[in-house]
Amino acid sequence: MYPGILAQTQPDKPAVIQPSTGEILSYRELNERSNRLAHLLFDRGLRPGDHVALFLENHLVYFETVWACLRSGLYFTPINRHLSASEAAYIVDNCDAKVLIASNNLEQSAALGELSPRCTVKLSVGGTAEGFEDYAAAVADKPCDNIAEERLGTMMLYSSGTTGKPKGILKPLLDQSPENGSPSVQFLADMFAFDTATVYLSTAPLYHGAPIGYSNAAIQSGGTVIMMEKFNEELALQLIEQYRVTHSQWVPAMFIRLLKLPEEVRTRYDLSSMRCAFHAAAPCPVDVKGKMIEWWGPVIEEYYSSTEAAGMAYISSEEWLKHPGSVGRARGKPFHICDEDGNEQAAGKSGLIYGEVPTGPSFVYHKDPDKTRSAIHPKNPDWVTVGDIGYLDEEGYLYLTDRKSFMIISGGVNIYPQQIEDALALYPKLDDVAVIGVPNEDLGEEVKAVIQLAPGIEASEQLADEIKDFVREKLGKQLVPRSIDFVDELPRVPTGKLNKKELRDKYWANTKAS
């Protein structure tokens, strides 16, 4: 269902709660506010297929905007609020946005407005800004009822840009009413049994596909979203207890931070309301996930997919304990593992992961036909890859090895950094670790570990040797980093994803390979 129906059946129920401010957005308010914005956008000339860009912190206006677009046949593109003004402006321009909705609290917003001349409507949330209309004033006098002709809209997300320039993932609009909600959102809701009793903890930035997707799933199901403004591991536990959270979404980096909390903090909170804690976005180290299941019980579920929707895998806690390290078996069409020439591989052998899309690719990379073509299997046009490497076991369980773009080729040997990173994930003296390939005159590349130390731990050659010995004992001589650098902080985006391009560029800047 969508807010128009839910506003009638449960008008005063909270659709979204923002604990940091105490603000509550009821279903009645969500319906009315999204309608007001839908009328404004229609009055300013937007029609189905047009684009709206959002540059906001986690804010209730996110939901008003998303549902205004979903009921108006519009594309909405959330933009990473940590990007510079010029980086964000590239996305605004590339997606052909006619409307920019930006937060007055973000220092980049003013410059972003100046760098987005093609936007005919610019709305400022949280106060007035030069070059912008005040959002609240602009929608204040608009009607609260539905626009005359509603049509289902959708998201147009951009890749994170951690391995190159961000790419827009454009999917066709469905020619249908929004009355029954989005089918893709409903698929998520059904997979994790969302219903009107759902209390969903949103732990991550809403500009990322999973948090906004699952928040929409909770609302479409008539549940309540508890929106964290910023992730904090102890606060997350506190909110689970306070709001009796039933569903939550995480990434492995959050699990690692939770596990590093002192024991007295970890056991302080009642987590018994949790029915399902699901995770994705990055491979989870086996030790980390095993410890989380031991702590929280068999409520941890995992899925593997992509914004491009190139296949879907799922695994429960019970299955994972029998197949540790797997991201699950395919839901729907099967996965295929292929070599560089497109030949399908036997069970247990790694290769590019292709998802089967029965009607051909259901997306294009916006304004990048070469990138779109490169995602399609050379012999089977219904098979699509996003560049992940992995293998299937004899029972059809999928295991991720790494991203193709992260693979290190040292002296002709393929080395996958993820294996080394996973081994060091819970090493007590480390806060974070990244493994990359750096130039080596003889080998082409060599393995380097870049490490962020835990508070109170000092960098030293002795510690570097200790870490190398640990890797050697756990993984063998071949995977031991040749060198270790210690840094104050690794470049992770707020979703937990490591920006390896930024890290790698520092070491390759003066080489032809850069």
Side-chain angles (χ1 to χ4, degrees):
M1 292 181 287
Y2 84 141
I5 296 172
L6 293 164
Q8 297 174 25
T9 59
Q10 48 184 40
D12 298 322
K13 180 176 181 176
V16 187
I17 299 174
Q18 185 167 3
S20 62
T21 63
E23 293 176 280
I24 297 175
L25 181 68
S26 71
Y27 274 96
R28 179 195 292 112
E29 291 167 327
L30 176 58
N31 183 54
E32 292 177 352
R33 293 181 191 181
S34 62
N35 269 329
R36 285 196 178 103
L37 180 56
H39 278 283
L40 174 67
L41 297 176
F42 186 87
D43 291 347
R44 298 297 179 88
L46 272 76
R47 296 296 181 268
D50 286 335
H51 292 247
V52 175
L54 293 81
F55 190 67
L56 300 170
E57 68 271 42
N58 281 9
H59 195 290
L60 295 182
V61 168
Y62 240 110
F63 297 94
E64 300 171 24
T65 305
V66 165
W67 284 98
C69 293
L70 286 175
R71 66 200 311 168
S72 303
L74 302 175
Y75 287 99
F76 61 93
T77 294
I79 300 174
N80 182 343
R81 67 182 178 87
H82 296 276
L83 295 179
S84 68
S86 60
E87 289 170 328
Y90 166 80
I91 295 175
V92 172
D93 182 70
N94 186 262
C95 77
D96 301 312
K98 291 187 175 181
V99 176
L100 170 62
I101 300 177
S103 172
N104 193 48
N105 295 322
L106 299 177
E107 60 181 8
Q108 312 98 304
S109 292
L112 175 58
E114 294 175 1
L115 293 170
S116 305
R118 292 205 294 148
C119 285
T120 56
V121 180
K122 298 173 187 175
L123 301 172
S124 174
V125 175
T128 57
E130 187 173 351
F132 287 80
E133 296 176 70
D134 180 70
Y135 175 91
V139 300
D141 63 349
K142 297 302 176 184
C144 293
D145 57 351
N146 298 3
I147 59 175
E149 294 184 13
E150 291 193 320
R151 182 181 171 187
L152 185 64
T154 192
M155 287 191 289
M156 178 181 168
L157 294 171
Y158 274 70
S159 66
S160 62
T162 55
T163 59
K165 216 169 190 55
K167 297 289 188 295
I169 300 161
L170 183 66
K171 299 179 181 180
L173 289 174
L174 298 177
D175 187 13
Q176 66 183 56
S177 164
E179 188 170 310
N180 294 318
S182 164
S184 60
V185 169
Q186 192 59 46
F187 176 83
L188 301 178
D190 291 343
M191 184 164 64
F192 295 109
F194 281 31
D195 55 28
T196 56
T198 293
V199 180
Y200 168 69
L201 178 64
S202 182
T203 57
L206 292 174
Y207 60 72
H208 189 62
I212 193 63
Y214 283 104
S215 293
N216 281 346
I219 291 172
Q220 191 165 296
S221 303
T224 297
V225 175
I226 310 300
M227 178 182 64
M228 295 187 74
E229 189 173 313
K230 182 181 179 183
F231 180 71
N232 174 278
E233 50 269 38
E234 184 175 359
L235 177 60
L237 300 178
Q238 178 187 322
L239 294 175
I240 292 171
E241 177 182 83
Q242 180 180 349
Y243 292 100
R244 305 302 294 159
V245 167
T246 61
H247 293 70
S248 54
Q249 193 262 335
W250 312 80
V251 295
M254 294 176 181
F255 284 162
I256 292 169
R257 287 173 61 177
L258 285 163
L259 289 168
K260 289 186 176 181
L261 286 170
E263 182 69 19
E264 64 270 20
V265 175
R266 289 174 50 189
T267 57
R268 183 178 299 160
Y269 301 97
D270 178 7
L271 311 180
S272 61
S273 61
M274 189 82 72
R275 287 164 32 197
C276 178
F278 46 90
H279 70 98
C284 189
V286 170
D287 288 350
V288 170
K289 185 162 180 178
K291 283 179 168 50
M292 286 302 300
I293 294 173
E294 183 181 339
W295 176 14
W296 285 6
V299 299
I300 295 178
E301 304 179 28
E302 183 173 2
Y303 66 96
Y304 167 76
S305 188
S306 61
T307 306
E308 294 88 340
M312 167 73 78
Y314 163 85
I315 192 166
S316 66
S317 289
E318 292 85 354
E319 285 180 289
W320 187 90
L321 290 170
K322 297 175 183 176
H323 302 270
S326 174
V327 296
R329 287 197 285 192
R331 282 282 183 98
K333 294 291 181 177
F335 287 99
H336 304 271
I337 309 299
C338 301
D339 64 17
E340 292 288 345
D341 298 320
N343 301 308
E344 200 154 2
Q345 302 295 286
K349 191 167 184 181
S350 289
L352 273 173
I353 302 170
Y354 284 87
E356 190 172 328
V357 187
T359 57
S362 57
F363 72 95
V364 294
Y365 290 108
H366 193 47
K367 300 180 182 178
D368 197 337
D370 291 339
K371 174 78 170 174
T372 303
R373 280 191 293 271
S374 71
I376 301 171
H377 189 277
K379 302 171 186 176
N380 297 282
D382 296 342
W383 297 5
V384 175
T385 184
V386 296
D388 287 339
I389 294 175
Y391 64 93
L392 294 166
D393 68 14
E394 295 285 354
E395 296 179 65
Y397 282 89
L398 179 65
Y399 296 76
L400 302 183
T401 307
D402 216 322
R403 295 281 294 182
K404 180 183 178 183
S405 55
F406 296 161
M407 186 174 69
I408 301 167
I409 304 176
S410 183
V413 176
N414 294 347
I415 296 172
Y416 296 105
Q418 179 193 315
Q419 190 176 2
I420 307 169
E421 291 166 351
D422 287 357
L424 290 170
L426 292 178
Y427 195 80
K429 296 181 180 180
L430 312 187
D431 244 7
D432 203 358
V433 59
V435 175
I436 58 172
V438 297
N440 180 289
E441 189 173 336
D442 297 323
L443 301 174
E445 289 183 281
E446 66 176 60
V447 179
K448 177 181 285 290
V450 185
I451 286 171
Q452 178 180 326
L453 292 171
I457 304 298
E458 294 186 4
S460 67
E461 288 187 18
Q462 182 180 350
L463 178 57
D465 290 339
E466 179 184 318
I467 292 168
K468 289 179 183 179
D469 289 342
F470 177 83
V471 174
R472 183 180 293 108
E473 184 176 340
K474 195 158 189 177
L475 301 178
K477 181 179 179 181
Q478 191 175 41
L479 296 182
V480 176
R482 284 202 166 212
S483 58
I484 292 177
D485 285 357
F486 296 103
V487 296
D488 292 335
E489 187 174 10
L490 284 170
R492 284 193 183 272
V493 298
T495 56
K497 187 177 289 186
L498 184 68
N499 191 335
K500 282 200 171 179
K501 180 180 183 299
E502 178 182 330
L503 190 62
R504 190 175 182 276
D505 283 352
K506 294 178 180 179
Y507 294 93
W508 290 88
N510 298 318
T511 70
K512 292 181 181 179
S514 65

